[in-house]
Amino acid sequence: EASKLGLVDKENFGQECITYGDDPSTMTNSRLFARFMSKFHFYNPRAGIVTGSSITTAPETVTKESFRDDKAPSSFSVPSLDAAWAHYEHVTLARYYVDDPNEKTMVRAEAGDKKRKSELYPIWRTPVKELGDFGISVRMYFSTLLVLAAFLCAAG
């Protein structure tokens, strides 16, 4: 959806996304918005400084006093907002495997698994019985909520 709005620059698709094999259509809207905004200096102060995967800085930005062991590197890897979002989506948020089309159920993916293709659990299309992957309490809560909603709708 966001790729249709022009929020994704497909030519400069980051190495972090290639690491996980991400497609813009499977990213969260928040991640797509952050990728779009990171081009602007008011959102990302280092937008004009970063070149590739390493950064060379002016002496006033990084000095030997910045490091404890008096060994300042000549170049170093810059923290990437896109890499942080990729880590958040693949390690923190719950995902399920989609590589087997014959599988009828959603099998919860291991956190950070790069070997098999996975997607985020859909908010509105996840069946209640699949919520058992998150623990019996979660499934019981949503089952009770569903029965209570049906009962209140029937009661008028």
Side-chain angles (χ1 to χ4, degrees):
E1 179 180 323
S3 61
K4 294 175 187 172
L5 299 174
L7 296 179
V8 177
D9 185 11
K10 291 184 180 181
E11 293 173 4
N12 297 323
F13 202 60
Q15 184 66 31
E16 302 82 16
C17 298
I18 294 170
T19 301
Y20 285 105
D22 288 347
D23 180 36
S25 64
T26 63
M27 294 180 190
T28 60
N29 289 335
S30 302
R31 180 176 174 191
L32 293 172
F33 182 72
R35 290 187 66 155
F36 174 73
M37 293 298 290
S38 65
K39 299 179 207 171
F40 301 107
H41 188 67
F42 66 88
Y43 182 79
N44 179 12
R46 294 180 163 264
I49 301 172
V50 176
T51 57
S53 62
S54 64
I55 183 170
T56 54
T57 58
E60 65 270 9
T61 308
V62 176
T63 61
K64 285 193 178 262
E65 291 79 31
S66 303
F67 299 93
R68 294 182 186 197
D69 59 0
D70 292 335
K71 294 181 181 177
S74 58
S75 67
F76 56 92
S77 183
V78 176
S80 170
L81 183 61
D82 198 45
W85 272 101
H87 178 79
Y88 173 70
E89 287 185 358
H90 286 272
V91 176
T92 306
L93 296 180
R95 302 177 73 84
Y96 68 99
Y97 292 120
V98 294
D99 54 358
D100 187 9
N102 297 329
E103 187 72 34
K104 299 279 190 240
T105 61
M106 296 177 171
V107 179
R108 187 168 180 179
E110 293 293 323
D113 188 8
K114 297 178 186 177
K115 295 177 184 172
R116 294 176 63 187
K117 185 174 166 105
S118 63
E119 288 183 3
L120 294 168
Y121 275 94
I123 295 174
W124 300 110
R125 293 180 293 139
T126 303
V128 175
K129 71 178 190 173
E130 298 297 335
L131 295 174
D133 291 343
F134 301 101
I136 191 69
S137 305
V138 174
R139 182 175 177 183
M140 198 165 68
Y141 170 77
F142 283 105
S143 297
T144 305
L145 193 64
L146 187 61
V147 168
L148 183 62
F151 178 71
L152 290 176
C153 286

